[in-house]
mmCIF file of all heavy atoms in Angstrom:
data_model
loop_
_atom_site.group_PDB
_atom_site.id
_atom_site.type_symbol
_atom_site.label_atom_id
_atom_site.label_comp_id
_atom_site.label_asym_id
_atom_site.label_seq_id
_atom_site.Cartn_x
_atom_site.Cartn_y
_atom_site.Cartn_z
ATOM 1 N N ALA A 1331 -0.503 6.226 -6.223
ATOM 2 C CA ALA A 1331 -0.039 5.554 -4.993
ATOM 3 C C ALA A 1331 -1.236 5.021 -4.206
ATOM 4 O O ALA A 1331 -1.165 3.928 -3.624
ATOM 5 C CB ALA A 1331 0.783 6.513 -4.137
ATOM 6 N N ARG A 1332 -2.338 5.753 -4.186
ATOM 7 C CA ARG A 1332 -3.538 5.298 -3.469
ATOM 8 C C ARG A 1332 -4.033 3.972 -4.057
ATOM 9 O O ARG A 1332 -4.322 3.015 -3.330
ATOM 10 C CB ARG A 1332 -4.643 6.370 -3.587
ATOM 11 C CG ARG A 1332 -5.868 6.108 -2.735
ATOM 12 C CD ARG A 1332 -6.932 7.172 -2.953
ATOM 13 N NE ARG A 1332 -7.572 7.055 -4.265
ATOM 14 C CZ ARG A 1332 -8.533 6.165 -4.556
ATOM 15 N NH1 ARG A 1332 -8.948 5.322 -3.637
ATOM 16 N NH2 ARG A 1332 -9.055 6.116 -5.770
ATOM 17 N N ILE A 1333 -4.092 3.905 -5.392
ATOM 18 C CA ILE A 1333 -4.593 2.686 -6.044
ATOM 19 C C ILE A 1333 -3.600 1.529 -5.871
ATOM 20 O O ILE A 1333 -3.993 0.378 -5.655
ATOM 21 C CB ILE A 1333 -4.869 2.962 -7.541
ATOM 22 C CG1 ILE A 1333 -5.999 3.993 -7.662
ATOM 23 C CG2 ILE A 1333 -5.238 1.691 -8.292
ATOM 24 C CD1 ILE A 1333 -6.171 4.581 -9.040
ATOM 25 N N VAL A 1334 -2.306 1.871 -5.951
ATOM 26 C CA VAL A 1334 -1.263 0.851 -5.820
ATOM 27 C C VAL A 1334 -1.307 0.190 -4.436
ATOM 28 O O VAL A 1334 -1.159 -1.033 -4.319
ATOM 29 C CB VAL A 1334 0.115 1.530 -6.094
ATOM 30 C CG1 VAL A 1334 1.249 0.808 -5.400
ATOM 31 C CG2 VAL A 1334 0.362 1.613 -7.600
ATOM 32 N N VAL A 1335 -1.534 0.995 -3.406
ATOM 33 C CA VAL A 1335 -1.604 0.438 -2.047
ATOM 34 C C VAL A 1335 -2.764 -0.556 -1.964
ATOM 35 O O VAL A 1335 -2.621 -1.662 -1.426
ATOM 36 C CB VAL A 1335 -1.759 1.572 -0.997
ATOM 37 C CG1 VAL A 1335 -2.138 1.007 0.366
ATOM 38 C CG2 VAL A 1335 -0.465 2.386 -0.894
ATOM 39 N N ILE A 1336 -3.903 -0.191 -2.554
ATOM 40 C CA ILE A 1336 -5.066 -1.103 -2.541
ATOM 41 C C ILE A 1336 -4.730 -2.376 -3.318
ATOM 42 O O ILE A 1336 -4.980 -3.496 -2.850
ATOM 43 C CB ILE A 1336 -6.311 -0.418 -3.157
ATOM 44 C CG1 ILE A 1336 -6.701 0.811 -2.321
ATOM 45 C CG2 ILE A 1336 -7.485 -1.398 -3.254
ATOM 46 C CD1 ILE A 1336 -7.779 1.677 -2.954
ATOM 47 N N ALA A 1337 -4.129 -2.210 -4.508
ATOM 48 C CA ALA A 1337 -3.802 -3.378 -5.350
ATOM 49 C C ALA A 1337 -2.856 -4.320 -4.618
ATOM 50 O O ALA A 1337 -3.004 -5.548 -4.693
ATOM 51 C CB ALA A 1337 -3.184 -2.914 -6.670
ATOM 52 N N ASP A 1338 -1.883 -3.751 -3.898
ATOM 53 C CA ASP A 1338 -0.933 -4.601 -3.189
ATOM 54 C C ASP A 1338 -1.624 -5.396 -2.085
ATOM 55 O O ASP A 1338 -1.301 -6.558 -1.856
ATOM 56 C CB ASP A 1338 0.199 -3.753 -2.601
ATOM 57 C CG ASP A 1338 1.541 -4.115 -3.222
ATOM 58 O OD1 ASP A 1338 1.601 -5.099 -3.982
ATOM 59 O OD2 ASP A 1338 2.533 -3.416 -2.951
ATOM 60 N N PHE A 1339 -2.576 -4.763 -1.395
ATOM 61 C CA PHE A 1339 -3.281 -5.486 -0.329
ATOM 62 C C PHE A 1339 -4.220 -6.542 -0.903
ATOM 63 O O PHE A 1339 -4.313 -7.646 -0.372
ATOM 64 C CB PHE A 1339 -4.038 -4.511 0.586
ATOM 65 C CG PHE A 1339 -3.145 -3.935 1.653
ATOM 66 C CD1 PHE A 1339 -2.705 -2.630 1.597
ATOM 67 C CD2 PHE A 1339 -2.702 -4.742 2.706
ATOM 68 C CE1 PHE A 1339 -1.850 -2.111 2.571
ATOM 69 C CE2 PHE A 1339 -1.840 -4.233 3.680
ATOM 70 C CZ PHE A 1339 -1.420 -2.916 3.613
ATOM 71 N N VAL A 1340 -4.906 -6.207 -1.986
ATOM 72 C CA VAL A 1340 -5.889 -7.155 -2.535
ATOM 73 C C VAL A 1340 -5.194 -8.305 -3.281
ATOM 74 O O VAL A 1340 -5.474 -9.480 -3.017
ATOM 75 C CB VAL A 1340 -6.875 -6.431 -3.489
ATOM 76 C CG1 VAL A 1340 -7.805 -7.426 -4.172
ATOM 77 C CG2 VAL A 1340 -7.680 -5.382 -2.723
ATOM 78 N N PHE A 1341 -4.295 -7.972 -4.195
ATOM 79 C CA PHE A 1341 -3.716 -9.008 -5.061
ATOM 80 C C PHE A 1341 -2.409 -9.588 -4.513
ATOM 81 O O PHE A 1341 -2.299 -10.796 -4.313
ATOM 82 C CB PHE A 1341 -3.486 -8.459 -6.477
ATOM 83 C CG PHE A 1341 -4.752 -8.012 -7.139
ATOM 84 C CD1 PHE A 1341 -5.010 -6.659 -7.349
ATOM 85 C CD2 PHE A 1341 -5.716 -8.933 -7.534
ATOM 86 C CE1 PHE A 1341 -6.193 -6.235 -7.946
ATOM 87 C CE2 PHE A 1341 -6.903 -8.520 -8.140
ATOM 88 C CZ PHE A 1341 -7.137 -7.168 -8.336
ATOM 89 N N THR A 1342 -1.411 -8.711 -4.296
ATOM 90 C CA THR A 1342 -0.099 -9.243 -3.896
ATOM 91 C C THR A 1342 -0.188 -9.956 -2.554
ATOM 92 O O THR A 1342 0.309 -11.089 -2.426
ATOM 93 C CB THR A 1342 0.959 -8.118 -3.824
ATOM 94 O OG1 THR A 1342 0.763 -7.223 -4.908
ATOM 95 C CG2 THR A 1342 2.365 -8.667 -3.867
ATOM 96 N N ALA A 1343 -0.822 -9.326 -1.551
ATOM 97 C CA ALA A 1343 -0.856 -9.941 -0.215
ATOM 98 C C ALA A 1343 -1.548 -11.297 -0.259
ATOM 99 O O ALA A 1343 -1.090 -12.257 0.378
ATOM 100 C CB ALA A 1343 -1.542 -9.006 0.778
ATOM 101 N N THR A 1344 -2.640 -11.397 -1.037
ATOM 102 C CA THR A 1344 -3.342 -12.687 -1.143
ATOM 103 C C THR A 1344 -2.416 -13.747 -1.745
ATOM 104 O O THR A 1344 -2.299 -14.868 -1.227
ATOM 105 C CB THR A 1344 -4.598 -12.539 -2.038
ATOM 106 O OG1 THR A 1344 -5.334 -11.419 -1.584
ATOM 107 C CG2 THR A 1344 -5.466 -13.775 -2.009
ATOM 108 N N ALA A 1345 -1.732 -13.367 -2.836
ATOM 109 C CA ALA A 1345 -0.849 -14.337 -3.501
ATOM 110 C C ALA A 1345 0.349 -14.678 -2.613
ATOM 111 O O ALA A 1345 0.799 -15.826 -2.594
ATOM 112 C CB ALA A 1345 -0.380 -13.785 -4.848
ATOM 113 N N VAL A 1346 0.849 -13.689 -1.863
ATOM 114 C CA VAL A 1346 2.003 -13.922 -0.978
ATOM 115 C C VAL A 1346 1.663 -14.989 0.065
ATOM 116 O O VAL A 1346 2.481 -15.853 0.380
ATOM 117 C CB VAL A 1346 2.434 -12.592 -0.293
ATOM 118 C CG1 VAL A 1346 3.262 -12.847 0.957
ATOM 119 C CG2 VAL A 1346 3.222 -11.726 -1.267
#
Side-chain angles (χ1 to χ4, degrees):
R1332 188 183 71 79
I1333 296 167
V1334 154
V1335 168
I1336 298 171
D1338 244 352
F1339 276 107
V1340 174
F1341 299 109
T1342 320
T1344 310
V1346 160

